[in-house]
Amino acid sequence: FATNYFEHREGGAQTNQEYSDIIKGAEQVFPDLTVKIEDVVEEEDLIAVLVTFNATQKDTFLGIEATDKNITWEAMEFFRLKDRKITET
């Protein structure tokens, strides 16, 4: 990640440290998280990635108590690169 990394989602990471903290939190909530890359599209400095996530919720997430149930969801992630580093998501 670039040193000036920025995430556009509401409540998203605004620094590398915040992004690292989000990942660490996700590892606690979803310790068996797997991510499967389904498709990648690149155009100039923008990369779109379709991913499928699968995990078991073991801790509170977004105010929802741990369910201990396996869940699967898809997401489309967009990354902007500069000098081979992610600058925006």
Side-chain angles (χ1 to χ4, degrees):
F1 287 86
T3 56
N4 61 341
Y5 168 77
F6 180 82
E7 184 175 14
H8 290 277
R9 285 182 261 251
E10 185 175 325
Q14 303 303 303
T15 66
N16 286 341
Q17 184 58 54
E18 287 179 9
Y19 185 81
S20 178
D21 293 344
I22 289 169
I23 296 300
K24 288 177 186 174
E27 289 174 339
Q28 179 178 332
V29 175
F30 304 108
D32 62 345
L33 176 67
T34 60
V35 181
K36 180 180 178 189
I37 297 173
E38 304 287 354
D39 202 2
V40 177
V41 178
E42 176 188 358
E43 185 174 307
E44 297 181 15
D45 66 343
L46 186 64
I47 298 174
V49 182
L50 176 62
V51 294
T52 299
F53 298 93
N54 185 277
T56 305
Q57 184 186 355
K58 296 290 190 178
D59 203 347
T60 302
F61 181 68
L62 299 175
I64 301 169
E65 294 295 322
T67 63
D68 206 33
K69 292 182 181 178
N70 186 269
I71 56 173
T72 300
W73 70 100
E74 289 184 331
M76 191 75 189
E77 301 288 339
F78 294 88
F79 301 91
R80 189 166 306 280
L81 302 178
K82 182 175 183 181
D83 299 326
R84 301 179 56 100
K85 294 185 179 181
I86 298 172
T87 59
E88 297 176 57
T89 57

